[in-house]
Amino acid sequence: MTANELRRKYIEFFVKQCGHKEISSASIIPENDPTVLFTTAGMHPLVPYFVGEPHPAGKRLTDVQKCVRTDDIDEVGDMTHCTFFEMLGNWSLGDYFKKEAIEFSYNFLTLPDEKGGLGFDIKNLAFSCFAGDSDAPRDDEAANAWKSFGISDERIAFLPKKNNWWGPAGKTGPCGPDTEMFYWTGEGSAPKKFDPDDANWVEIWNDVFMKYNKTAEGKYEPLAQTNVDTGMGFERTFAILQGKKSCFETELFTDAMTKLRILANYEKTESNLKSERIILDHLRAVTFIMGDNLGVTPSNVDQGYIVRRLARRAIRHGKILGINENFTDKIAEIFIEVYGDYYTELQKNRERILSELQKEEEKFANTIVRGEREFQRILPEVFEKKLDTIPGDVAFNLYETYGFPIELIEELAKEKSLKVDRKLFDEEYKKHQDMSRAGALQKFAGGLADHSEEVRKLHTATHLLNKALRQILGDHVYQKGSNITAERLRFDFSHPQKVTPEELAKIEAIVNEQIKANLPIHFEEMTVDEAKNKGAIGVFDAKYGDKVKVYFMGDFSKEICGGPHANNTGDLKSFKILKEEAVASGIRRIKAVIG
Ligand code: SER
């Protein structure tokens, strides 16, 4: 059975044999739920319909939903964990409940191929049901339904809420007990008794009986409408059907794996398997997230940050495999091939996926080289002091100054048998976040969209521009506002009239000269008075506290500023003014780009 055949088979079974309507996968980026970054389960986009909203397609629905979960990201690399996965689902919105849901599941699992089922032998199946607690009773009803199909008591385990209860993680809303279905993947015939702790029993499907609403106070109230939410793990079921130990050995991954091994030019060994799986898992996820119609591109916030983190981790593991060229787009291309028939949005958004990956790989190549070098630099001191942990502020400095992701710092540390003081790192991070948030509120007093490399460079360009304006127009020029995104800078300043094209050309030329001069950039902390005496420009009021940071760009510019900046003016490559205009009486605005 091919992957497409399994998807079709599931949908057809529920449409033709159980009266469901097929709906298409919702976006992987939740459209109406700002509390989570991704669609994490098939039920997620349907929540409004569980609480009473009528669904246009009716009360019985079935679909294949694209999902992303990032909470298990550290587990990826083993046989079963995937960041991106597909969930096959059938849904009852206030229609059928426990007995029918279990009957449908049982039939789809066990009916022979010609009757539309998977043809699993019940000897290889086991089940778990909710054991009951003070919130809800033991689910004998579910167990009895399984037993009515000839399942023995020994193959049914009753487990607590931790295992057999489902609701959107840690949140309020619809939830309920579930029953889970397991398939024996071990050697030889399955043991008579089901042991849920034996990893050879792989969970493949979960039927949730949504009967409760969890309130903000943690109470479980009965829902007005009872629903069924089921999720069959597509990858796991497919691996079983193909007789493979893991989905990484199925047609979903084999072409990409072959390509990866050609790129790495090595013979397969066990120790590489983990890196290979991480690379393939992460790049597949990135392909789907960027290939979604609401797709996002790598950045330092929200979904974009996850994309960046996944892509960068894949790139680093590529280095571990000895791949020295850019490769992520080559792997993504294969996933677009493998999945593009079913998920046509991947074909449609192909150019975006590939070009964004190329860009990200280039950006990260520079960051890795710098970050690893700086990491090596901190080691002697750590070892000298006989520390087993890299101090949090040292790690934060690597992150903040070099953009080196904390996850990579931790991985490098682990390779040296060191830990990272994550608690202190997180504290520093939070402090810094609060500061940037405060900065974001006062849009025109710092105004950086984020601290990405592009934004830093444009921030540096702003200082050069500020100084050049003063040189050409005069000392009456003061910064009145600044707003910087990764694409452009916007700088407002005091000046009574239009800046002429000749003046603009001179200003632009001065900035470009300073870029060509490759001026080193550094900052020093000093009191406001010291800064004034050194001739620094900037806002001198007390809000900076006693000490201020002064950024120096060679001898050309000295300015009071919180940072961050590029390391060298040469990083900016070139500078171009796009526009000069008035924003208010006596205030002009320049928009400019670099590179
Ligand atoms: N929501 C349940 C799960 O994710 C069943 O679909 O497992």
Side-chain angles (χ1 to χ4, degrees), residues 87-276:
M87 223 179 223
L88 306 168
N90 55 284
W91 317 91
S92 159
L93 308 175
D95 195 57
Y96 62 84
F97 203 51
K98 219 172 274 188
K99 205 166 162 301
E100 295 95 318
I102 288 177
E103 186 180 339
F104 295 156
S105 291
Y106 177 79
N107 284 341
F108 184 66
L109 290 171
T110 59
L111 282 178
D113 184 49
E114 63 276 14
K115 294 210 166 139
L118 297 181
F120 285 157
D121 188 333
I122 66 164
K123 284 205 204 91
N124 293 324
L125 294 171
F127 306 85
S128 63
C129 299
F130 180 54
D133 61 15
S134 54
D135 298 320
R138 171 180 150 117
D139 202 351
D140 285 316
E141 203 186 333
N144 288 336
W146 290 120
K147 281 194 244 174
S148 75
F149 297 112
I151 309 297
S152 69
D153 279 316
E154 285 171 304
R155 285 289 177 85
I156 299 173
F158 285 93
L159 301 174
K161 220 185 218 114
K162 181 164 81 63
N163 308 79
N164 279 75
W165 189 274
W166 216 91
K171 290 203 304 185
T172 55
C175 57
D178 67 38
T179 181
E180 299 186 0
M181 293 150 255
F182 296 78
Y183 191 88
W184 175 254
T185 62
E187 300 297 326
S189 52
K192 256 194 158 148
K193 191 166 168 56
F194 170 41
D195 171 8
D197 291 329
D198 181 343
N200 286 311
W201 287 107
V202 171
E203 185 211 329
I204 53 173
W205 202 353
N206 181 12
D207 289 359
V208 183
F209 308 117
M210 215 180 269
K211 220 179 135 161
Y212 299 93
N213 179 48
K214 185 177 176 189
T215 66
E217 295 77 44
K219 285 218 174 75
Y220 293 86
E221 291 168 346
L223 268 181
Q225 161 190 319
T226 57
N227 312 289
V228 174
D229 149 21
T230 94
M232 176 175 243
F234 174 72
E235 279 82 356
R236 292 176 182 190
T237 308
F238 187 50
I240 289 169
L241 287 165
Q242 292 216 326
K244 306 289 188 197
K245 279 270 174 207
S246 112
C247 65
F248 293 102
E249 292 163 33
T250 67
E251 66 170 53
L252 301 173
F253 284 100
T254 43
D255 288 356
M257 186 69 96
T258 304
K259 180 77 185 178
L260 184 62
R261 287 177 180 167
I262 291 170
L263 287 163
N265 196 17
Y266 71 97
E267 295 299 319
K268 187 196 134 188
T269 65
E270 267 306 305
S271 62
N272 288 329
L273 206 53
K274 185 166 177 215
S275 287
E276 288 172 346

Side-chain angles (χ1 to χ4, degrees), residues 41 49 53 187 221 226 236 238 256 281 324 327 342 377 417 463 479 487 492 502 509-510 576:
Y49 310 104
E53 190 82 14
E187 300 297 326
E221 291 168 346
T226 57
R236 292 176 182 190
F238 187 50
D281 168 84
N324 290 315
F327 72 101
Y342 193 82
R377 272 194 200 149
S417 304
H463 282 215
Q479 170 170 345
E487 284 74 40
D492 297 349
E502 294 73 36
I510 291 177
K576 175 131 196 68

Side-chain angles (χ1 to χ4, degrees), residues 342-358:
Y342 193 82
Y343 294 104
T344 50
E345 65 272 24
L346 298 183
Q347 300 280 8
K348 200 173 113 203
N349 299 316
R350 175 193 180 89
E351 282 317 306
R352 177 174 72 210
I353 302 169
L354 300 183
S355 69
E356 285 296 333
L357 271 173
Q358 284 157 4

